[in-house]
Amino acid sequence: MSWTGNDDAAVTTRIATVLNSLQPSERRVADHILGDLDGVVEMTAQDLADRTGVARSTVIRTCQTLGYRGFPQLRVALTRELAQSAGRTEDFGESALGTIRAEIAALAASLPQIASVLTEANVEAAVVTLLSATRLLALANGLSSPLASDLSMRLTAIGRPTEFVADPIGQQIAARQLSPADAAIILSGSGANESSLKAARAVKLTGARLVVITSFATSPLGSLADVALVVAPASGSFRHELEHTSRVPHVILLESLVEVVATRLGESARSARSTVLTILSDNLSD
């Protein structure tokens, strides 16, 4: 899987989104880069090859997979990323509040990168699918499930009725009842959740369109998708994504996607939102 995202994406972001698709020898190179950013800047391609026990050609091939012509270009990009990170360093202290502030600052610094793997064509295709489907399902499992529920409510609130099914078996049943005029959007950070994969396969059996939102450029779920929107992990590492599973980047993408759909719907979305506000007002106590 070669890099297909934006040219200004950080080295660590590029690695995070393709790491699970690299060959074992390439992955050793990528893991070493992630583990020693400062040290790699001072190395030659041969130095890195010796450190990781691979051929120099493997180092070059890994760089090219990440979208660089070779190791010198990767070193320059890595130097730039380190300089930008150093400029954002701030000591918030060791208290609970300080830790929270540090996490927020780190997240804020990473936000520009979360859209770096998205392409204009894929985003447009996803929007068109959400607008044109006769029936629309929003599905997810595990920690992604609340996001699918929220997406369903947000789309419904702008006049684009969307069904959310929480139960994994129920998801497969609902998916098998779709038609080629319908669509499903499935969320999975890893792209490898087995329940979500079963739901995706059920969608494909009906001929309905499948939109997938995930964190990795190559995954079992992404390979089934008609449209895959890859949101770069906020942490910049595959291990961190699996251990901490931050869904903030996905939340940002979904909210933005709903706003694009609302804009395309125009007056019907404004009317639907007006109705929602009336209902909310009626359900607020004094």
Side-chain angles (χ1 to χ4, degrees), residues 27-111:
R27 181 155 184 169
R28 287 205 298 275
V29 174
D31 281 336
H32 191 90
I33 294 172
L34 290 176
D36 188 17
L37 301 180
D38 292 283
V40 170
V41 169
E42 305 301 328
M43 295 181 187
T44 66
Q46 189 60 56
D47 290 336
L48 184 53
D50 293 341
R51 294 286 184 91
T52 54
V54 302
R56 182 178 181 277
S57 60
T58 299
V59 172
I60 304 305
R61 187 171 66 250
T62 304
C63 293
Q64 292 172 344
T65 298
L66 296 174
Y68 302 105
R69 293 199 309 276
F71 187 66
Q73 289 72 34
L74 181 141
R75 286 179 64 201
V76 170
L78 195 54
T79 300
R80 183 185 307 115
E81 181 176 349
L82 286 169
Q84 292 171 343
S85 298
R88 294 190 295 259
T89 300
E90 184 175 351
D91 185 5
F92 293 94
E94 298 181 0
S95 68
L97 179 57
T99 300
I100 291 172
R101 286 174 170 163
E103 289 290 327
I104 292 172
L107 176 61
S110 72
L111 290 182

Side-chain angles (χ1 to χ4, degrees), residues 100-123:
I100 291 172
R101 286 174 170 163
E103 289 290 327
I104 292 172
L107 176 61
S110 72
L111 290 182
Q113 292 295 330
I114 66 176
S116 60
V117 194
L118 297 173
T119 66
E120 195 74 50
N122 278 2
V123 173

Side-chain angles (χ1 to χ4, degrees), residues 103-164:
E103 289 290 327
I104 292 172
L107 176 61
S110 72
L111 290 182
Q113 292 295 330
I114 66 176
S116 60
V117 194
L118 297 173
T119 66
E120 195 74 50
N122 278 2
V123 173
E124 182 63 25
V127 171
V128 170
T129 298
L130 295 180
L131 286 165
S132 62
T134 302
R135 182 184 175 201
L136 185 59
L137 291 180
L139 307 173
N141 294 279
L143 292 177
S144 294
S145 186
L147 301 188
S149 175
D150 183 69
L151 176 63
S152 170
M153 290 188 289
R154 287 180 180 275
L155 287 171
T156 300
I158 62 169
R160 169 63 272 204
T162 304
E163 303 168 50
F164 168 69

Side-chain angles (χ1 to χ4, degrees), residues 157-229:
I158 62 169
R160 169 63 272 204
T162 304
E163 303 168 50
F164 168 69
V165 181
D167 179 73
I169 299 298
Q171 291 174 4
Q172 295 175 55
I173 294 171
R176 287 295 297 271
Q177 294 175 0
L178 296 175
S179 75
D182 303 327
I185 181 167
I186 299 182
L187 285 64
S188 173
S190 68
N193 183 285
E194 187 58 38
S195 294
S196 294
L197 282 168
K198 288 179 178 178
R201 295 185 189 109
V203 172
K204 299 302 291 183
L205 286 173
T206 68
R209 285 185 62 77
L210 175 62
V211 177
V212 165
I213 296 179
T214 183
S215 294
F216 301 102
T218 299
S219 67
L221 189 59
S223 67
L224 294 171
D226 295 295
V227 182
L229 300 183

